[in-house]
Amino acid sequence: MTGWTWEYHGCDPASERLREALCTLGNGYFATRGAAPESPAGDFHYPGTYAAGCYDRLTSTVAGQQVDNEDMVNLPNWLPLRFRVETESDGGSWLTPDSEALLDHHQRLDLRAGTLERSMRYTVGKGRVLSVLQLRLVHMGDPHLAALRTEFTADGWEGVVEVEAALDGAVTNSGVARYSQLDGRHLTDVRTGCGAADSAWLTCRTRTSEIRIGMAARLTTTSSDSVEHRRTDPRAQRVTQVLGLFLASGRPVAVDKVVALHTSRDPAISDPLGAAVERAGRAPGFEELLVSHRAAWQQLWNSAELDVPGKSGDILRLHLFHVLQTLSPHTADLDVGVPARGLHGEAYRGHVFWDELFVLPYLNLHFPQVSRALLTYRHRRLGQARNEALAAGRAGACYPWQSGSDGREETQQLHLNPRSGRWLHDHSRLQHHVGSAIAYNVWQYCEASGDTEFLHTKGAEMLTEIARFWADLATYDESTGRYRIRGVVGPDEYHDAFPGASAPGLDDNAYTNVTAAWVHARTLDLVRSLPQVRRDELRERTGLQEGELVRWDEVSRKLRVAFHDGVISQFAGYEALAELDWDAYRARYGDIRRLDRILEAEGDTVNRYRASKQADVLMLGYLFSPTELRQVFARLGYELDNALWTRTVDYYLRRTSHGSTLSGLVHGWVLARARRADAWTYVEEVLAGDVADVQGGTTQEGIHLGAMVGTLDLVQRGLTGLETRNGTLWLDPVPLPQLSEYGFSLHYQGHAGITVQVRAGDLQISAPASQRSPIDIRLPTATLSLTPGETCSLPLHDR
């Protein structure tokens, strides 16, 4: 990585799929992995293309059970373009990165321009070399277009190169090995054909969701010599176009492939195929597309300016690049959520989890319109969440742990342990804390954006139904005088039952109970502050009764939090679990991030031990500043002082295997806020998470979007102590010697282009000139009002 580029030299079959994930190009509407166009899907290559929100549901037989799974669909492959040099005896062999004829190969991802460049040299006979330069883009200005330019140069010879370009509908979802027993054939009714002399098209639909897909390609060349176009049978699943290019020594000839993609989910069209054919036909040439694509990317970089020096800054820029390709301003026009693994692969089947908890706080301060759309995705599925609660015998709304197209629960009921080869019951759907994450994101978005219209309508409705669910789930315990929430799973995920229990679920998970109390408190504040007309509308929509508010207030003050050994208990009864011999397991297995799989393969269960996959209790320190967390505990009637919190942090640090990329992020954040010297160790791990694939082969199945955004937010909010509360920007920077200088821009309550620059002992904040009101800013030692057009420089003191 050097500044704005990410480069690979040579070909390494073992790491090709990782490179393909990290070299994915996208625009928020669709994305395509960075696979070589001349290489089909196989053991080492996987050229997947995914459109946001395109899901399909299939039934498979797994371990003797019928299992339904909804997947983000691998769409027809628009990339294929292969080439060979014709010889006197035959057409020659197709040249690929795996070919023995390859002399060298270089791949360069340009983050600033949003392009992927490949350069290759092949030996094509004694003393004959063919040089190939390829440039690819998925257009950030027009989200339905992609383009591929391939330039051929004969070095010291002349002759004919045959080029075959294709659109391929014979693809499946087969990018994740452990899903191999699931049906991955999502496309059907594939038809192909040709339009004008330089064009081809393909159409199909998904098998059960019946999303229609239209794709069209225009193939042109810069060669002035005669070119022959040949096509396969248009009834095949793959339509090809063939060019015969005459090459003179040292004179480059380029082939341009411009592709358009539409689906029946798109607004303002009636026929996806017709729209694709029309768009491809009238699209500008490659050079013009490249100019407008780069301009669109420059606008994005201007809106998300990030200035962090050194290697850390390079990786953060790569993270931001992939965030913008998954969730760009185009996303604001779509009905989609936050896919946990981006649009980069098929891991987690493209589902939406709680990862938006780590994503929206960053987007709120750069692209609030995207945050609003992602929250609207949740609001559109509020009815389904109500149905889920009703089916469980509960009031309110129970949002699913995994979501897809329509908001029903998509969490798998079985999961495969690759170590043992056994399919096991999956109880992660009991992670009802996803509802609190949605409520938290509603509140954070509205505080950062000032969008009271959303807060008073859709936001108020979601908070009301989430609070209602928690209040109904909480039961009063006479023996403790506390409310308890039973039968849930916390963020840790390793623990899904008490040892020997006949039913899944745990009681009084601290994170679940504290966030539920926070939801009740915030919802009460909101309902009581609503204008009368909005309060009446809310009551009409939800049937909210005054007695419910009384109960919410009581529950928010009396939910139980368990303690043991002077620390917060992850859940009630945690102290009864056995201690694990961590040193012995590390010595035996080395990497024990997936300790649950190791123990299950041994015939044991992680439920018996004080061992966590990722931050659970400590997530509270990620969501809330120290001041706010103390206030939440005080409302519950508990005193949370620094000593108790420090003991709790140390306790769980020693008992966490970090089996999730989010774990290092949360621990780094919490330790940085506590001004701990070991914070950087965790920050470094999460920075390397996808780049070095620290989870051992998972990044090739899709990037970890929450962790990537979280690293950006660590700089933006974690290190600056930035909060948006009560119409004020709160700042409380912490010293981190390994990252002592950094800067970024942000968008706050209509003020675009605010810049924050932190240097040793100094914080500088400026707002561009506008007619908007001044910005109230509060630091631990000062309060000020920043008028648009002004710059303030404030001294920082290490406390």
Side-chain angles (χ1 to χ4, degrees):
M1 185 75 177
T2 55
W4 287 88
T5 61
W6 189 262
E7 302 188 31
Y8 294 108
H9 297 273
C11 289
D12 178 12
S15 64
E16 279 304 302
R17 286 198 174 194
L18 171 62
R19 295 180 180 184
E20 290 171 0
L22 292 176
C23 290
T24 294
L25 296 182
N27 55 27
Y29 172 78
F30 83 100
T32 298
R33 288 166 57 88
E38 61 271 23
S39 297
D43 292 339
F44 305 120
H45 303 282
Y46 195 69
T49 290
Y50 311 96
C54 282
Y55 293 98
D56 189 53
R57 187 183 309 280
L58 297 177
T59 301
S60 307
T61 301
V62 177
Q65 297 188 41
Q66 295 291 104
V67 177
D68 285 341
N69 278 295
E70 185 176 66
D71 295 83
M72 183 171 67
V73 178
N74 182 17
L75 299 182
N77 184 12
W78 66 270
L79 277 177
L81 187 145
R82 60 181 182 173
F83 43 87
R84 59 186 176 184
V85 175
E86 294 184 354
T87 65
E88 293 182 0
S89 58
D90 57 34
S93 300
W94 296 109
L95 301 173
T96 70
D98 309 313
S99 169
E100 292 182 359
L102 182 68
L103 295 175
D104 55 61
H105 181 275
H106 177 246
Q107 192 162 294
R108 179 175 177 269
L109 180 67
D110 187 329
L111 307 182
R112 190 190 299 275
T115 57
L116 178 62
E117 179 182 292
R118 299 170 64 228
S119 60
M120 300 150 282
R121 294 175 66 247
Y122 294 93
T123 177
V124 289
K126 189 174 182 179
R128 305 200 325 166
V129 173
L130 176 67
S131 296
V132 182
L133 182 64
Q134 202 165 63
L135 190 64
R136 180 191 314 180
L137 62 88
V138 175
H139 206 279
M140 188 55 80
D142 185 331
H144 299 279
L145 288 178
L148 176 70
R149 164 164 284 189
T150 310
E151 185 179 89
F152 303 93
T153 304
D155 297 340
W157 59 279
E158 63 179 32
V160 176
V161 170
E162 182 182 1
V163 179
E164 179 188 276
L167 301 176
D168 186 7
V171 300
T172 62
N173 275 52
S174 54
V176 180
R178 61 186 176 280
Y179 300 165
S180 60
Q181 296 184 45
L182 303 176
D183 190 348
R185 297 172 292 107
H186 289 282
L187 301 181
T188 189
D189 295 345
V190 179
R191 295 184 293 114
T192 61
C194 307
D198 59 359
S199 68
W201 55 262
L202 180 151
T203 183
C204 59
R205 66 173 177 84
T206 55
R207 286 170 61 187
T208 60
S209 58
E210 297 192 342
I211 298 171
R212 290 174 293 131
I213 300 147
M215 188 176 284
R218 189 184 73 206
L219 194 70
T220 58
T221 177
T222 59
S223 172
S224 58
D225 295 306
S226 60
V227 177
E228 180 182 2
H229 288 261
R230 300 194 300 272
R231 306 175 182 91
T232 60
D233 183 344
R235 292 170 296 180
Q237 289 186 304
R238 177 184 176 98
V239 57
T240 64
Q241 298 169 273
V242 181
L243 303 177
L245 304 178
F246 178 78
L247 300 185
S249 179
R251 294 176 56 188
V253 173
V255 172
D256 293 337
K257 184 180 185 181
V258 176
V259 176
L261 169 67
H262 276 279
T263 80
S264 55
R265 299 184 76 251
D266 298 344
I269 66 166
S270 58
D271 171 29
L273 177 59
V277 169
E278 179 184 4
R279 189 174 294 269
R282 60 180 170 81
F286 186 88
E287 293 290 351
E288 189 175 341
L289 283 173
L290 182 60
V291 169
S292 57
H293 172 69
R294 286 173 169 165
W297 263 107
Q298 188 57 54
Q299 290 182 5
L300 284 185
W301 289 119
N302 291 341
S303 298
E305 184 180 347
L306 180 70
D307 178 21
V308 176
K311 181 180 178 181
S312 298
D314 293 341
I315 296 176
L316 286 166
R317 196 174 292 115
L318 176 71
H319 287 183
L320 180 52
F321 177 74
H322 285 299
V323 172
L324 296 176
Q325 293 192 120
T326 306
L327 301 169
S328 79
H330 297 302
T331 308
D333 298 325
L334 306 175
D335 177 32
V336 298
V338 177
R341 303 298 285 273
L343 299 175
H344 297 62
E346 294 161 16
Y348 299 163
R349 301 178 180 87
H351 289 170
V352 176
F353 291 70
W354 73 324
D355 295 60
E356 63 201 60
L357 183 63
F358 303 88
V359 173
L360 265 67
Y362 178 81
L363 293 178
N364 294 341
L365 294 166
H366 294 281
F367 303 99
Q369 75 277 25
V370 177
S371 291
R372 194 182 208 272
L374 297 171
L375 291 171
T376 301
Y377 163 88
R378 291 295 194 179
H379 182 263
R380 290 191 181 107
R381 288 150 184 82
L382 180 59
Q384 186 64 47
R386 289 184 178 119
N387 293 340
E388 293 286 340
L390 186 63
R394 297 296 176 187
C398 179
Y399 276 96
W401 177 239
Q402 295 186 34
S403 183
S405 61
D406 60 12
R408 75 181 78 175
E409 180 63 77
E410 300 294 353
T411 304
Q412 66 273 15
Q413 298 184 45
L414 297 172
H415 69 267
L416 176 68
N417 181 357
R419 282 187 174 270
S420 67
R422 287 188 286 267
W423 286 88
L424 310 170
H425 290 289
D426 191 313
H427 302 300
S428 57
R429 63 183 58 220
L430 296 177
Q431 292 189 75
H432 300 319
H433 60 82
V434 64
S436 293
I438 293 168
Y440 181 88
N441 275 330
V442 168
W443 194 266
Q444 290 292 323
Y445 160 71
C446 294
E447 286 277 14
S449 66
D451 189 349
T452 55
E453 189 276 333
F454 186 90
L455 180 63
H456 291 175
T457 54
K458 294 180 176 69
E461 191 173 0
M462 284 190 282
L463 262 66
T464 294
E465 296 292 13
I466 293 167
R468 182 176 272 162
F469 173 77
W470 283 134
D472 192 42
L473 194 61
T475 57
Y476 189 71
D477 182 354
E478 294 283 355
S479 66
T480 61
R482 290 277 180 179
Y483 284 92
R484 308 187 66 183
I485 294 177
R486 302 178 185 270
V488 299
V489 172
D492 160 37
E493 292 188 334
Y494 273 178
H495 297 91
D496 62 3
F498 291 102
S502 59
L506 304 163
D507 299 340
D508 297 326
N509 172 257
Y511 175 82
T512 300
N513 285 14
V514 172
T515 56
W518 179 89
V519 169
H520 282 133
R522 293 288 74 75
T523 308
L524 283 168
D525 290 344
L526 173 58
V527 172
R528 289 167 177 166
S529 66
L530 284 175
Q532 187 61 50
V533 64
R534 292 300 193 190
R535 196 179 313 168
D536 292 342
E537 291 172 353
L538 179 64
R539 285 175 173 156
E540 290 173 2
R541 290 195 306 272
T542 65
L544 181 63
Q545 301 294 317
E546 192 65 31
E548 291 185 272
L549 303 183
V550 174
R551 178 173 171 83
W552 295 355
D553 185 71
E554 182 178 13
V555 172
S556 74
R557 299 179 188 277
K558 292 186 177 181
L559 269 169
R560 183 187 182 209
V561 177
F563 298 83
H564 74 278
D565 300 337
V567 303
I568 303 169
S569 299
Q570 186 169 308
F571 50 82
Y574 187 86
E575 70 279 2
L577 302 182
E579 290 284 10
L580 184 78
D581 189 342
W582 291 87
D583 291 338
Y585 272 89
R586 288 192 177 99
R588 192 183 315 169
Y589 292 100
D591 185 350
I592 60 169
R593 287 183 177 88
R594 290 312 304 265
L595 185 63
D596 57 333
R597 293 175 175 174
I598 291 172
L599 289 169
E600 193 279 329
E602 291 182 348
D604 203 347
T605 172
V606 75
N607 277 327
R608 297 202 308 117
Y609 300 99
R610 302 183 192 184
S612 298
K613 174 183 178 182
Q614 57 189 313
D616 194 298
V617 174
L618 302 191
M619 271 296 302
L620 296 171
Y622 179 83
L623 292 188
F624 306 116
S625 68
T627 299
E628 190 172 9
L629 187 57
R630 284 194 297 269
Q631 292 171 348
V632 176
F633 269 75
R635 184 183 180 95
L636 286 166
Y638 300 108
E639 182 180 355
L640 179 66
D641 58 23
N642 289 337
L644 172 57
W645 181 247
T646 298
R647 288 194 304 271
T648 300
V649 170
D650 290 339
Y651 184 89
Y652 290 105
L653 273 176
R654 296 192 297 268
R655 293 167 174 84
T656 304
S657 71
H658 305 293
S660 164
T661 55
L662 296 173
S663 187
L665 169 67
V666 174
H667 284 87
W669 180 294
V670 170
L671 292 173
R673 294 303 304 163
R675 292 166 165 77
R676 293 273 289 270
D678 49 348
W680 189 250
T681 301
Y682 294 94
V683 174
E684 281 188 315
E685 179 171 326
V686 72
L687 284 173
D690 278 328
V691 173
D693 195 13
V694 299
Q695 293 290 329
T698 60
T699 301
Q700 67 180 21
E701 303 165 351
I703 54 112
H704 298 83
L705 187 67
M708 281 192 169
V709 186
T711 60
L712 302 167
D713 202 32
L714 173 68
V715 175
Q716 175 177 269
R717 293 192 307 134
L719 299 185
T720 61
L722 190 155
E723 296 179 76
T724 54
R725 279 195 285 128
N726 304 322
T728 300
L729 269 182
W730 300 66
L731 290 162
D732 184 13
V734 298
L736 197 61
Q738 299 89 343
L739 196 59
S740 58
E741 295 188 6
Y742 53 89
F744 54 86
S745 65
L746 56 85
H747 187 294
Y748 173 68
Q749 295 199 356
H751 294 271
I754 298 172
T755 59
V756 177
Q757 189 74 40
V758 176
R759 298 182 179 88
D762 179 77
L763 182 146
Q764 190 177 90
I765 182 167
S766 64
S770 73
Q771 298 301 310
R772 303 192 69 85
S773 301
I775 303 167
D776 292 329
I777 298 173
R778 182 170 295 183
L779 286 87
T781 57
T783 300
L784 59 98
S785 180
L786 181 66
T787 301
E790 287 186 347
T791 297
C792 289
S793 185
L794 304 165
L796 300 177
H797 304 284
D798 190 8
R799 295 180 290 114

